[in-house]
Every structure is written in structure tokens, then in C-alpha cells.
Amino acid sequence: VGPRGTPIKYKFSVTGVRLALYGFGNVGRALARMLLATRAPFNVTALTTKSHGAVVDANGIDLDTILAGTDLPLRALPPVAVLPADVLVEVTPLDPLTGEPALGHIRDALRAGMHVVTANKGPIARAYRELDGLATKHDRMVRFEATLADCLPVFTLRRSALPLAKISAIRGIVSSTNNHILSAAAAGIPFEDALADAQRLGIAEADPRNDLEGHDAAAKATILANVLMDADLVPEDVSREPIDERAATAARAAAENGGRVRPLIEITRRDGKVVASFGPRRLSPMDPLFAVDDFSMGLVFETDLAGRVVVQLHDPHVDQVAYAILTDLLEISGTMPRP
Amino acid sequence: VGPRGTPIKYKFSVTGVRLALYGFGNVGRALARMLLATRAPFNVTALTTKSHGAVVDANGIDLDTILAGTDLPLRALPPVAVLPADVLVEVTPLDPLTGEPALGHIRDALRAGMHVVTANKGPIARAYRELDGLATKHDRMVRFEATLADCLPVFTLRRSALPLAKISAIRGIVSSTNNHILSAAAAGIPFEDALADAQRLGIAEADPRNDLEGHDAAAKATILANVLMDADLVPEDVSREPIDERAATAARAAAENGGRVRPLIEITRRDGKVVASFGPRRLSPMDPLFAVDDFSMGLVFETDLAGRVVVQLHDPHVDQVAYAILTDLLEISGTMPRP
């Protein structure tokens, strides 16, 4: 990586765009598999895992070997700024409330002239304006499609299909675990069983309160409000009602009458101020979010120029998180300096 | 416009990207209003109407004056190739079966080194491969987001949110008039009344057979298959069942049981071959297209990397056609040579 502001020369013929992959859990491993499967023009030159060490190799790391589970030579990675990489891919586990240590990694990378792609909500929900400013200052990109709802088109949609449009309101389902629980309740499956199911699949976290109490949804609503509606919220500004036994009972009752209860975020402008909420809401079959069932997610955008636009992602897996990262990487690589 | 292959210099400070606007009906006028309202960086330098003449002015045409309804000085425009314009916006009325005269205009513009944006299905359904090849040869872009379903994100979505992904199947509602008729039938409104309503709103054509017999839907299915699934269909390859009194009766009966009949295109790969059909299909409330009601449209994409992605556009007006053209223009302007 060259010093700030100077153009960087890459040897695309050999290495492609060089990635530092921070985090090698479910998402990092899914991304590694997808990079191999798609032969996308990227080359991982630094990689760190939670408990199996780290590795740096400017000539590129053999992902097949790493996926096979070998322990890595380094105890910890050198500082971000000295890595031989063009893009930091930040998918480390983190404290969802503070966004650390991911936030620090992202700051370091942007300051060192690297682009950043992250799947971590915390840093974007807490510090979008700062990071966006830092990226602009260093003429680099920070991309975070995967933070919202796997590869549901949100920020890519905004940039490509909704330019110049003003978004006046957003409604949506952005929490897989909660939607699974309420969908299961509609089918008569007990709350605890549905939650255990989501945990077994690795979708709900070990401590499910982050989902059930709406902290996860509040972070996502904050990102949507700040990035797409020019608001300046923190997650604590989002009013929350929990997804609990009572909501599950309501979901069961609604289903018996042809309705569905969905875990909804709602963001709107009231008296010039953006307000956001999360909670269980009863929907009728003519609601565009009615059929967004189980682990599926979806958003409804109210806009001036484009009217009402809806996007949905049905039955996503961890591969769809990896794919969101890959789309961000492809966008960045299209804007990378050519050799 | 410079000769083939030579870089073109634009005076952005004064004129912005220069547009030749062919066609000034509902869509052309809506685009003119939107260009004024959004102050987008475009300048109409040539304009032709069906029966009020044409005008060319390299310094830019005052759209306010034209919208007020003045007759224009020229009987007809000079040939496309000599117009002082960077982009041809093709929204003339045309023969939906042959795609003329739009197809000829588009060929001429690409050969003369202009980019092209069109809302006309015919040329794309008939000649996508030829026009795409011509655009590539001349290093120009041909864009046609508005041909499919107003500003429903389709080709923008493909480019920004579904890169590298293979699309294996597409289902959807792409005909407003037919969906309005079947939605009205569900509410007990007679077929003829619903059709007259769509004609009054300028959504159905004077001769409604193009919609009702599925020719319009077949052209759209052809575009989707050829552009997104690498097929080589012509509209006649799409099997069609009409939207008629019988379909309306079925829609009424389905509604009484909580279902909906929707006018569906279905495109899939069978034995390595892409096949497409159109006809009335009964949907249940858990289908992502169930809530796509009245004049609304929507598509379901089955993909390898992104899973199942759904987009919907609810209650569009003619402004949403204009906006699709505007998004194409913005994409092109981002790739225009800078002064």
C-alpha cells in the first residue's frame, strides 16, 4: 500500500486485488469458499483466525490449505497499516454494542489507504459518519452491504436503482431469528423450540437477547436511517418491543385468522425528524412483507422518484452473507487503479 | 459527436451531457418534467414530437417552453448521426412487433458513437444481441431499464447486486393492465370496466389485444431470458394463454377462497434450454407475488450465489418510466469521458 494520496500500482496479472481477511468464522470461511468457487479476481494476502493464528503472504495464501484446518504460523497479525493488502475484509466477532475491535481495524485500514468491506453492524451503526468521512478523506471506499440483511440489495440498490431519489420511509424485516420464531409460532411450534432451531443453524447467537430484545434490529434500523435517510441516530434512539412468548402467542392467533405477525422495523420522518421503531406487527396478506417467511428478510422503500420499491431475500444461508461481501469487493475492484 | 473511436470532449460546465429526445408523448414529457425537477446534469439538444415538429439547438432547448405546447420549428429531425448529442433517448411510439422505427434510430445512434437509452421493448426483444454487439463495437452503452417494468430494478439490479451470479429461473408480473384486470376481478369489478379503466389511465393501449393476448408479456419475457439468462428467444417462442373473461372468473373464484390469480411470466431452464410462458396462475398468500396487486409489478429471481431475490414496484405511474430512463442516463453519464 502506497503512502496516502499516491496512486498505487497493482500486479493484477499475478495477484488480483489483495485482501486482508480479518476473521475466519462461518462468514470468513464461506467467503473463502466462494472466492475459490467463483475464481473472482481477488487474492488473500493476510488472514487471521480467532484461535488458530494468522498468516501474511504477499504472494497470496492458498485458501484450500487454510480451509482444510491447518494451524497458521503467526500468533497475531501485524498492524493493519503494514499489511500487503488493498482491501480490509472485516468479519471478526465483536462486541455488538461498542463495535470493537472491528471499528479500530476499519479506522486503521482507511487511514492507511486501504478500502474496507465489513459484515459487522456495530461499526457502521455507531460510526457511519466518521467512517464515511475518513473514507472520503483518503479517497477510499467503505462498503457494508452484508451488515443489513445478507445479500438483500440495499446499498447497491440505492446506488444503482435509486439515484437522486429521496427515501421518505422504510419498513422491513431484517432479523432472521425473530422472523423464524414468529413464523414457527404461526405453525404451532413452541417459542423455545424455534429459538433452539435458529441457534443450532448458527443464525441466532448463543445469547439470543441481542435478537429477541431487538438490539440487532435497532442497529440495522440505525444504519438504514443514517445511510439512506440522512439521519443521525444511535441504536438507543430506536424504540423496541421484544419478540417474546406473548408475541409468539399473537402470531399463532393471527395465523388462525389468515394473518401473520412479523418482526418489523419502521423508519419514518415525523416533523422533520427521523424516528425508528422495532416490534411485532400484524400484517394482512396484501402487505408486501406478508410472504417474507421464516429466515427470509425484506424491505419496503417509499421514495419520491421511484415510488414504492420492495426487495426480498428468501431463505438465505451463510453463503448469502459471503456473497454480499463479494459484491462489495467487485464494486471496489471496478474502481481500483488499473496497472 | 466525434468520429468513431476518438475521445469526445464535452463542455459540462455549460451544457451537461447532451440528449436527443426522440418522442414526446406521455413518457417523453414525464422525462422532461423530471429533468427540470431534479436539475439532473443533462441538456436536451434535439427533440422530436409526433405531430408538432422537431427542434435542434446545440446550446440546449428550453424544456419549459416545449412543455407549454409550442409548435416546433422543424418538420422532422435531421439524421441521428449529425445531431449535436451524446445520448439518444428513444421513446417514440412504435410497431410493437417489428420494433420500428425505434430499432433503426438505435442502430444509427450507436454507429454514430452515441449512447442509447430506450423505453421501447420492441428493439430489445427483437435485436438485443445485435444492439449489444454494436454498442460494444463502438464502445458505447445501450440501456433499457424502462422496457421491463418501469423503474422496477432489473438490469441495474443484475449489474450491481447480482454480479457473477447465475440466474436459473425468473417468475413475475410484468403487465400492469393484465394485473389490474385480474385484481379488479378479485374485487368483483367486471372485465370490461377494469379494461376501460386501464385505457382511461393511459396504461392499456387503445387496442388492448397486445396486453390481453400476452404479446407485451412475451416481449418482456424474451428480454429477460436473453439478457439475464443468456438465451436466444424471440417473442413467438413464449407460450401464451390469454387474460380473458374466463381468467377473470377464475380470479373472482380464487379471491373468494383467499387466493389470487396473477398474470405470470415463467422462465426456466429445461434440458439445457430456456423456455418461457405467460398466463393466468393461481397464487397462495405465501407466494412473494401474491401482494403485487393492481398496477404493481414484481419479479422473483432464482440464483446460485444470491439465493432467491424478489423485487417489486407498487402502484407505478408514468413518472416511474421516466425515472427508469433517468437512472440509465445517470449510469451512462458516470462513464462519459470527462472534459
Side-chain angles (χ1 to χ4, degrees):
Chain A
V1 179
R4 284 183 200 175
T6 58
I8 302 169
K9 302 280 179 211
Y10 301 114
K11 289 187 191 160
F12 278 90
S13 54
V14 182
T15 60
V17 173
R18 301 167 306 166
L19 312 182
L21 179 52
Y22 267 48
F24 206 63
N26 284 340
V27 172
R29 297 173 69 87
L31 178 63
R33 286 191 302 268
M34 196 170 278
L35 289 173
L36 289 169
T38 59
R39 299 164 182 269
F42 302 103
N43 196 15
V44 176
T45 50
L47 187 147
T48 182
T49 67
K50 196 176 177 186
S51 46
H52 294 274
V55 61
V56 177
D57 186 337
N59 294 317
I61 295 162
D62 178 12
L63 293 175
D64 273 319
T65 308
I66 308 283
L67 283 165
T70 350
D71 268 9
L72 303 177
L74 300 176
R75 275 290 186 87
L77 275 189
V80 170
V82 303
L83 295 177
D86 309 307
V87 186
L88 171 68
V89 179
E90 226 308 336
V91 291
T92 48
L94 82 175
D95 182 330
L97 291 181
T98 65
E100 293 296 356
L103 183 49
H105 297 157
I106 294 172
R107 283 193 189 105
D108 290 348
L110 290 172
R111 287 190 186 119
M114 293 165 72
H115 300 279
V116 172
V117 177
T118 185
N120 274 324
K121 282 175 291 292
I124 309 301
R126 290 284 156 203
Y128 166 66
R129 286 192 191 291
E130 178 207 333
L131 297 175
D132 187 50
L134 210 52
T136 304
K137 184 178 164 192
H138 294 283
D139 197 21
R140 291 296 180 269
M141 299 169 83
V142 54
R143 289 287 178 257
F144 42 85
E145 192 72 29
T147 58
L148 226 292
D150 303 354
C151 69
L152 180 77
V154 180
F155 308 110
T156 54
L157 185 86
R158 169 38 147 190
R159 288 191 293 271
S160 69
L162 300 175
L164 296 185
K166 288 192 182 63
I167 296 171
S168 58
I170 302 173
R171 292 166 71 230
I173 300 166
V174 293
S175 44
S176 272
T177 298
N178 289 329
N179 203 33
H180 172 68
I181 289 170
L182 294 180
S183 299
I189 296 165
F191 184 91
E192 292 300 335
D193 292 1
L195 176 58
D197 196 31
Q199 287 174 312
R200 188 180 51 76
L201 291 167
I203 289 165
E205 290 166 48
D207 179 353
R209 285 177 302 179
N210 192 35
D211 285 315
L212 300 175
E213 295 176 2
H215 298 289
D216 178 75
K220 291 178 172 182
T222 300
I223 295 174
L224 287 169
N226 293 353
V227 178
L228 299 183
M229 294 174 65
D230 202 29
D232 201 10
L233 303 187
V234 292
E236 291 72 22
D237 292 330
V238 180
S239 65
R240 292 176 289 103
E241 296 163 57
I243 303 303
D244 53 14
E245 293 273 7
R246 196 168 141 232
T249 305
R252 179 81 191 262
E256 283 164 4
N257 294 294
R260 279 292 182 283
V261 172
R262 300 277 179 221
L264 233 62
I265 56 167
E266 295 176 276
I267 312 170
T268 186
R269 228 174 267 280
R270 202 175 293 152
D271 303 326
K273 202 168 153 269
V274 173
V275 292
S277 66
F278 168 77
R281 301 284 179 265
R282 184 177 170 152
L283 306 183
S284 70
M286 274 302 155
D287 192 295
L289 297 171
F290 184 89
V292 177
D293 203 45
D294 208 8
F295 293 109
S296 305
M297 294 178 279
L299 289 170
V300 180
F301 299 99
E302 305 286 344
T303 79
D304 56 351
L305 299 178
R308 182 182 301 133
V309 176
V310 178
V311 285
Q312 303 173 359
L313 177 68
H314 287 259
D315 308 314
H317 297 266
V318 69
D319 280 348
Q320 274 67 66
V321 185
Y323 182 62
I325 295 169
L326 180 57
T327 63
D328 281 344
L329 288 171
L330 287 167
E331 193 198 352
I332 287 174
S333 72
T335 69
M336 300 282 277
R338 297 297 157 116
Chain B
V1 180
R4 285 183 200 175
T6 58
I8 301 170
K9 301 280 178 210
Y10 302 112
K11 288 186 190 162
F12 278 91
S13 52
V14 181
T15 60
V17 173
R18 301 167 305 166
L19 311 182
L21 179 52
Y22 267 48
F24 206 62
N26 284 339
V27 172
R29 297 173 70 87
L31 178 62
R33 286 192 303 268
M34 196 170 277
L35 290 173
L36 289 169
T38 59
R39 298 162 183 271
F42 302 103
N43 196 15
V44 177
T45 49
L47 187 148
T48 182
T49 68
K50 196 176 176 186
S51 45
H52 294 273
V55 59
V56 178
D57 186 338
N59 294 317
I61 296 162
D62 178 12
L63 292 176
D64 273 319
T65 307
I66 308 282
L67 283 165
T70 348
D71 267 9
L72 303 177
L74 300 176
R75 276 289 187 86
L77 275 188
V80 170
V82 303
L83 294 176
D86 308 308
V87 187
L88 171 68
V89 180
E90 226 309 335
V91 291
T92 49
L94 83 172
D95 181 331
L97 291 182
T98 65
E100 293 298 355
L103 183 49
H105 298 155
I106 295 172
R107 283 194 190 106
D108 290 347
L110 291 171
R111 287 190 187 121
M114 294 166 72
H115 301 279
V116 172
V117 177
T118 185
N120 274 322
K121 282 176 290 293
I124 309 302
R126 290 285 155 201
Y128 166 67
R129 288 197 187 287
E130 178 207 332
L131 296 176
D132 187 51
L134 210 51
T136 304
K137 184 177 165 192
H138 294 283
D139 198 20
R140 292 297 179 268
M141 299 169 83
V142 54
R143 288 288 178 256
F144 43 85
E145 192 72 28
T147 58
L148 225 292
D150 303 354
C151 69
L152 180 78
V154 180
F155 307 109
T156 54
L157 185 88
R158 168 39 147 191
R159 287 190 294 269
S160 69
L162 300 175
L164 295 186
K166 286 191 184 65
I167 297 172
S168 58
I170 302 174
R171 290 168 72 231
I173 300 166
V174 293
S175 44
S176 272
T177 298
N178 289 328
N179 203 32
H180 172 69
I181 289 170
L182 294 179
S183 299
I189 296 165
F191 183 91
E192 293 300 335
D193 293 1
L195 176 58
D197 196 31
Q199 286 174 314
R200 189 179 52 75
L201 291 167
I203 289 164
E205 290 166 49
D207 178 354
R209 283 176 302 181
N210 192 34
D211 286 314
L212 300 176
E213 295 176 2
H215 298 290
D216 178 75
K220 291 177 172 183
T222 300
I223 294 173
L224 288 168
N226 292 354
V227 179
L228 299 182
M229 294 173 66
D230 203 28
D232 201 9
L233 302 188
V234 292
E236 292 72 23
D237 292 331
V238 180
S239 64
R240 293 175 288 104
E241 297 163 56
I243 304 303
D244 53 14
E245 292 273 8
R246 195 167 142 233
T249 305
R252 179 82 191 262
E256 283 164 5
N257 294 295
R260 280 292 182 282
V261 172
R262 299 280 180 217
L264 233 62
I265 55 167
E266 296 175 277
I267 312 171
T268 186
R269 227 175 267 279
R270 203 174 294 149
D271 302 326
K273 204 168 152 268
V274 173
V275 291
S277 65
F278 168 77
R281 301 283 179 267
R282 185 177 172 152
L283 306 183
S284 70
M286 274 303 156
D287 191 296
L289 298 171
F290 184 90
V292 177
D293 203 44
D294 207 8
F295 293 109
S296 305
M297 295 177 277
L299 290 170
V300 180
F301 299 99
E302 304 288 343
T303 79
D304 54 351
L305 299 177
R308 182 183 301 132
V309 176
V310 179
V311 287
Q312 302 173 359
L313 177 68
H314 287 259
D315 308 314
H317 297 266
V318 68
D319 281 348
Q320 275 66 65
V321 184
Y323 182 62
I325 295 170
L326 180 56
T327 63
D328 281 343
L329 288 172
L330 288 166
E331 193 198 352
I332 286 174
S333 72
T335 68
M336 299 283 276
R338 296 298 157 115

